[in-house]
């Protein structure tokens, strides 16, 4: 990605997080990114193109900071984390009181809400959501290798849906950060127990 495109998309994420999708105007984005409106239209064609690329940019940025923290995070130890620790760390990294994480999560939530009215953006979001659920399912499969694939997929879908709902409540100031993180840990325990129970039932 060229520096100019990155500057524009960084600005778009910032404006969306600050003003919402409806507040994203090309002229305001140009001022935020320090570029001309013509350059934005050159790279992204129209406002809808900016939104689609911003969604991908936000997803990629989340992947980068979660991957870096998972590998070298503050609770990193000489021994590699087990499946449960890795799953918890991956999910809990979405709940960090850091400007980049808050901005990313706020912008993602805004784009998700806007996708209700934008079928093209909805498709992009569905693809990103499926990839996120698949990553969580991979961790769950490592945690409980003998669990039926369908049960693992359903558990991943429940966890990611819960995460998105808790994120909105946290960002809205309705839920303290520590409580949100505890609820995620408890949900992981519930889903892990449920996967074990599927083995006992068979």
């Amino acid at each position: 990605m060229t520096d100019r495109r990155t500057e524009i998309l960084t600005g778009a994420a910032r404006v969306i997080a600050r003003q919402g999708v409806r507040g994203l105007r090309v002229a305001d984005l140009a001022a935020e990114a320090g570029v001309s409106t013509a350059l934005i239209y050159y790279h992204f064609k129209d406002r809808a193109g900016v939104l689609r690329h911003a969604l991908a940019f936000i997803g990629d940025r989340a992947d980068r900071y979660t991957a870096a923290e998972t590998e070298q995070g503050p609770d990193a130890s000489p021994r590699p984390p087990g499946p449960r620790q890795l799953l918890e760390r991956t999910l809990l990294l979405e709940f960090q009181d850091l400007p980049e994480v808050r901005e990313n999560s706020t912008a993602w939530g805004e784009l998700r809400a806007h996708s209700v009215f934008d079928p093209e953006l909805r498709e992009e979001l569905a693809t990103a959501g499926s990839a996120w659920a698949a990553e969580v399912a991979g961790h769950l499969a490592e945690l409980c290798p003998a669990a039926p694939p369908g049960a693992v997929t359903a558990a991943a879908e429940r966890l990611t849906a819960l995460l998105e709902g808790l994120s909105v409540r946290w960002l809205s100031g309705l839920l303290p950060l520590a409580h949100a993180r505890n609820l995620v840990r408890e949900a992981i325990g519930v889903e892990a127990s449920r996967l074990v129970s599927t083995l006992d039932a068979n």
Side-chain angles (χ1 to χ4, degrees):
M1 187 181 295
T2 65
D3 288 343
R4 286 299 192 187
R5 282 174 64 89
T6 300
E7 288 170 7
I8 293 168
L9 292 174
T10 300
R14 198 157 46 236
V15 172
I16 292 168
R18 189 173 63 235
Q19 300 173 201
V21 171
R22 291 186 178 184
L24 179 67
R25 294 176 177 80
V26 173
D28 294 341
L29 173 55
E32 183 77 30
V35 301
S36 67
T37 56
L39 189 64
I40 294 174
Y41 287 119
Y42 171 76
H43 281 297
F44 303 105
K45 188 177 178 183
D46 54 21
R47 182 176 178 277
V50 172
L51 292 177
R52 288 194 301 274
H53 284 87
L55 179 66
F57 172 79
I58 290 165
D60 289 344
R61 189 165 67 173
D63 288 344
R64 287 195 299 275
Y65 68 65
T66 54
E69 287 294 327
T70 299
E71 292 168 5
Q72 309 167 13
D75 53 348
S77 63
R79 292 184 301 174
R84 173 69 178 263
Q85 291 173 302
L86 190 57
L87 176 59
E88 280 194 7
R89 193 181 296 175
T90 299
L91 295 178
L92 291 176
L93 284 171
E94 297 295 333
F95 294 94
Q96 301 180 80
D97 199 12
L98 300 173
E100 184 181 48
V101 176
R102 292 185 71 99
E103 180 182 283
N104 235 46
S105 296
T106 302
W108 182 268
E110 271 293 312
L111 288 164
R112 185 173 61 245
H114 184 71
S115 72
V116 173
F117 310 101
D118 185 337
E120 288 187 26
L121 190 60
R122 198 180 309 152
E123 290 179 14
E124 301 275 347
L125 190 72
T127 300
S130 295
W132 172 228
E135 179 184 350
V136 173
H139 292 313
L140 286 166
E142 290 181 12
L143 181 61
C144 195
V152 170
T153 298
E157 290 174 349
R158 285 189 294 269
L159 284 173
T160 52
L162 174 69
L163 194 86
E164 290 179 349
L166 291 176
S167 178
V168 171
R169 291 191 179 192
W170 164 54
L171 293 167
S172 301
L174 303 175
L175 194 68
L177 179 60
H179 187 45
R181 292 172 67 90
N182 284 336
L183 289 173
V184 172
R185 290 190 184 95
E186 289 172 10
I188 291 170
V190 169
E191 294 297 344
S193 298
R194 183 176 289 173
L195 289 177
V196 170
S197 71
T198 64
L199 301 179
D200 296 337
N202 291 331

